Amino acid sequence: WRVGTAMACAGAAPYGFGTYAAANYDELLDHPVEMGEFTLASFHACGVPHDVIITGRHSADMERLCGDMRTLCEHHIRFFGEPAPMDRYVFLIMAVGEGYGGLEHRASTSLLCSRGHLPRAGETVVNEDYRGFLGLVSHEYFHTWNVKRIKPAAFLPYDLSREAYTEQLWAFEGITSYYDDLALVRSHLISAEAYLQLLGETATRVWRGSGRHKQTLVESSFDAWIKFYRQDEDASNAIVSYYTKGALVALALDLTLRRGTKDRISLDDVMHALWERKGKVSYGVEEGEIEKIATEVSGLDLTAFFHQTLRTTQDLPLAELLAHVGVEFHIRPAESDNDKGGKPAKIPEAALQQRAALGVRLTDNSSEAKLAAVYDGGAAQAAGLSAGDVLVALNGIKLTRANLEKRLTHYRPGDVLRVHAFRRDELFEVTAVVTPPPLDTCFLTLNADLLSADTVAQRQIWLNM
């Protein structure tokens, strides 16, 4: 066994058992430790040593992985400015069959990923799975600055005996979620088209939840403890994610600043100001201060922008903003239950509108057609079905998770269906009038027609292409 941690050795040999030191309890808590058998590789980014530690069976191409991660890390370090704020950094990666997630620390991050999402020897393209992993790496590494050092004043000092409430999580997680994928295209790991696909998928996740019309972004941030981290089956109808909508607000703010200052000022400049004024000196960011700094740095009156995007439930004006950088924003019906958005449909939209939809999401990893969510305004909700119900028959024919979508292809919007279902152990029957699928699937395209040279230049400056 070996030991993996960013904590300073105080007698222990590198990666060995022995004594490690932390300056205080807060620092100790912020240094996770991996003990066991693991793959170890290292690289330097802007002169800082970085370790990549993978626990779990995998067949990753470590040379390629380290090369791509070095590119990302150097991009983020140079974005905020050298030198990096840590002397050493450690990626602690747990490779499993199915998994995704991460947690940032001051000089390391703990990542969970599917082993199949790591690059294999002989592969040269960045496929969607590997792209997702690189986005996770980028997100948690960006947190080294935005959250671990630039942080809400409500977090200082940390009091682990109580929750810390702030209305600013839209910025600390949302802005990070914006820059994580933007860094992939700016560092030339993915194409502009691939980046727009990721933006479309993010927008789709926001548009598919009617909770965006019921909860503002500052409410989502403040209520994280009681709603976002305690989600129930009605979450998509009741709340909006400060990660995904926060990322779209960051995009909208970036494009608004660029448009209003003729590319003289962008969200990049706001982040640089936050780093200089708050992160480097460990001063907490007061409520509303990011809005004030953005206004001061840009010289623009952003009052109406922040009111609309943070304190109302109006949809964001993405189509208008993206048009100024030669990108078209589209919304269409979903092609199937597995449609994540981000791409044009494979069949005409008129045909998509003829699909019969119940307005439900099924649970994963089950052979039953069990409802994980029942969406506002859908046929299932109107019929009285609820999350947790198990659909067992449609017009007298047995239903399973695997055949529900195929069975619905035999019907058209307006058709009346008899649905049998179990609620707990009680069988009941409802009548559902199926509806067309909603317009909730977003994708973005590069507009190549009749673009001015200025528009193309603005897009290239935005993406650093």
Side-chain angles (χ1 to χ4, degrees):
W1 280 23
R2 290 185 288 184
V3 176
T5 181
M7 201 181 324
C9 295
Y15 316 112
F17 286 86
T19 303
Y20 292 79
N24 49 50
Y25 187 61
D26 176 69
E27 183 179 317
L28 176 66
L29 292 177
D30 216 7
H31 283 303
V33 180
E34 178 74 13
M35 292 181 285
E37 297 178 355
F38 51 71
T39 303
L40 172 65
S42 301
F43 63 86
H44 281 71
C46 296
V48 177
H50 289 61
D51 288 336
V52 179
I53 289 172
I54 305 180
T55 302
R57 296 181 181 179
H58 69 93
S59 55
D61 181 342
M62 297 302 293
E63 182 177 355
R64 182 189 178 193
L65 181 62
C66 285
D68 291 341
M69 291 174 69
R70 178 192 300 112
T71 297
L72 261 179
C73 293
E74 289 184 340
H75 171 82
H76 284 313
I77 292 171
R78 288 167 180 156
F79 176 85
F80 284 100
E82 298 183 60
M86 64 287 186
D87 297 325
R88 177 170 166 261
Y89 194 90
V90 180
F91 292 94
L92 298 167
I93 303 169
M94 176 72 72
V96 296
E98 293 291 336
Y100 179 88
L103 184 62
E104 70 278 359
H105 297 280
R106 67 184 63 195
S108 60
T109 180
S110 298
L111 304 178
L112 180 71
C113 75
S114 300
R115 58 176 58 92
H117 292 187
L118 298 171
R120 298 185 180 184
E123 295 178 343
T124 57
V125 299
V126 177
N127 59 32
E128 291 191 15
D129 289 339
Y130 184 39
R131 186 175 67 197
F133 174 76
L134 289 176
L136 176 63
V137 169
S138 182
H139 183 98
E140 302 305 336
Y141 196 73
F142 193 87
H143 272 322
T144 305
W145 293 265
N146 193 38
V147 165
K148 296 313 299 181
R149 289 162 176 86
I150 308 168
K151 63 182 64 177
F155 290 1
L156 294 174
Y158 283 120
D159 181 353
L160 302 184
S161 68
R162 63 177 180 84
E163 299 95 339
Y165 290 89
T166 175
E167 293 184 344
Q168 300 183 94
L169 295 184
W170 70 268
F172 290 97
E173 288 295 354
I175 289 177
T176 301
S177 296
Y178 171 56
Y179 276 108
D180 57 17
D181 289 334
L182 185 60
L184 299 184
V185 68
R186 285 183 169 181
S187 57
H188 305 289
L189 289 170
I190 65 173
S191 66
E193 290 80 4
Y195 173 62
L196 295 185
Q197 179 184 334
L198 292 170
L199 274 183
E201 291 174 2
T202 299
T204 297
R205 291 196 293 274
V206 174
W207 255 259
R208 283 186 178 167
S210 62
R212 76 185 193 279
H213 292 312
K214 300 172 185 176
Q215 185 186 49
T216 69
L217 207 46
V218 295
E219 290 171 343
S220 174
S221 298
F222 192 82
D223 292 342
W225 287 100
I226 61 174
K227 291 186 178 180
F228 188 79
Y229 287 106
R230 296 182 183 180
Q231 293 189 28
D232 58 21
E233 61 275 2
D234 198 46
S236 62
N237 295 328
I239 67 174
V240 66
S241 168
Y242 52 80
Y243 282 85
T244 51
K245 187 176 180 182
L248 297 184
V249 168
L251 165 66
L253 176 57
D254 194 11
L255 296 178
T256 297
L257 295 174
R258 292 175 183 277
R259 176 181 169 186
T261 65
K262 299 187 185 302
D263 282 313
R264 182 178 54 85
I265 298 295
S266 70
L267 185 56
D268 300 357
D269 299 288
V270 176
M271 296 310 297
H272 298 159
L274 281 167
W275 175 240
E276 292 295 330
R277 301 181 192 184
K278 300 293 178 177
K280 280 187 174 181
V281 291
S282 299
Y283 292 156
V285 181
E286 301 292 342
E287 300 298 305
E289 193 169 7
I290 292 175
E291 300 164 51
K292 294 177 182 177
I293 290 176
T295 298
E296 178 188 332
V297 169
S298 67
L300 303 176
D301 183 355
L302 299 170
T303 305
F305 173 88
F306 283 120
H307 175 75
Q308 177 187 350
T309 59
L310 303 183
R311 297 176 179 87
T312 78
T313 57
Q314 299 175 33
D315 282 333
L316 303 174
L318 295 184
E320 176 190 355
L321 291 169
L322 286 164
H324 285 271
V325 288
V327 174
E328 291 186 286
F329 182 81
H330 312 267
I331 303 180
R332 60 171 175 80
E335 287 188 287
S336 69
D337 290 343
N338 298 320
D339 188 350
K340 299 187 298 182
K343 301 176 182 178
K346 297 178 181 177
I347 60 177
E349 185 168 323
L352 290 179
Q353 291 285 7
Q354 292 304 308
R355 289 184 60 234
L358 279 177
V360 300
R361 176 171 57 84
L362 301 181
T363 58
D364 296 325
N365 305 318
S366 173
S367 59
E368 297 178 319
K370 185 174 183 179
L371 304 184
V374 175
Y375 297 120
D376 279 348
Q381 187 185 68
L385 293 167
S386 299
D389 293 345
V390 178
L391 309 187
V392 294
L394 186 64
N395 283 350
I397 306 298
K398 181 179 178 180
L399 280 180
T400 66
R401 191 190 192 289
N403 74 4
L404 174 59
E405 188 171 349
K406 184 176 181 180
R407 290 290 315 285
L408 287 173
T409 62
H410 297 287
Y411 302 98
R412 292 292 178 265
D415 287 348
V416 180
L417 309 180
R418 290 184 300 111
V419 181
H420 284 84
F422 275 104
R423 180 168 295 165
R424 293 179 290 275
D425 60 348
E426 299 179 14
L427 181 67
F428 66 100
E429 178 183 349
V430 298
T431 299
V433 181
V434 291
T435 59
L439 294 172
D440 62 3
T441 305
C442 308
F443 67 98
L444 284 68
T445 57
L446 293 171
N447 186 343
D449 298 328
L450 303 176
L451 289 185
S452 68
D454 285 345
T455 300
V456 174
Q458 288 166 0
R459 185 170 67 209
Q460 291 174 336
I461 292 171
W462 167 45
L463 299 178
N464 285 0
M465 297 298 287

